[in-house]
Amino acid sequence: MTGPTAIVAEDEATLRHQLIEQLGQLWPELTIVGEAADGVQALRLLDEHHPDVLFLDIQMPGATGLEVARQASGRCHVVFVTAYEQYAVNAFSAGAADYLVKPIRAGRLAAAIERVRSRQ
């Protein structure tokens, strides 16, 4: 059996790579199967890879994280990683497992990982 897989969708490359690095430290058995710089790419990767988890920014070009989450609902766990606190209610309405506000603290990311693991 293979380990869990994820896609990281974040339009800022530096933040995307920082999140991937943090995930590697906190959840070493997680395999990142795709990186998206916009919502359209995230949707394509979702269809292509069928990940267990989708880490999503909210404000992205092409399609917003909320639009991507609605498409992903029921297909994988969605964890929002965003600078915008005001979208939390909409995020959970779209089926989010968790909602992290940037800058991401390791302890908060670890809690989100545990929440997702408990749902698998």
Side-chain angles (χ1 to χ4, degrees):
M1 181 175 135
T2 61
T5 60
I7 291 170
V8 175
E10 163 64 65
D11 60 328
E12 295 181 46
T14 302
L15 296 176
R16 186 171 63 245
H17 295 136
Q18 287 172 349
L19 177 58
I20 290 169
E21 186 176 308
Q22 282 184 294
L23 287 168
Q25 293 168 0
L26 296 170
W27 196 356
E29 60 275 17
L30 181 71
T31 301
I32 306 298
V33 294
E35 296 180 39
D38 63 57
V40 173
Q41 190 178 22
L43 287 168
R44 188 177 48 74
L45 290 170
L46 175 68
D47 288 339
E48 190 177 320
H49 294 287
H50 309 286
D52 298 302
V53 189
L54 186 54
F55 291 91
L56 270 181
D57 188 13
I58 286 201
Q59 294 289 344
M60 293 187 293
T64 69
L66 290 171
E67 291 167 334
V68 174
R70 285 187 199 101
Q71 295 285 322
S73 184
R75 297 165 64 186
C76 67
H77 301 288
V78 174
V79 176
F80 281 101
V81 182
T82 182
Y84 302 95
E85 293 180 18
Q86 68 266 32
Y87 296 107
V89 171
N90 290 339
F92 285 109
S93 295
D98 211 333
Y99 191 94
L100 306 177
V101 178
K102 298 172 189 172
I104 304 305
R105 296 183 324 275
R108 186 64 187 87
L109 182 57
I113 289 168
E114 285 310 311
R115 178 169 288 144
V116 169
R117 283 176 155 167
S118 73
R119 294 180 175 202
Q120 289 183 323

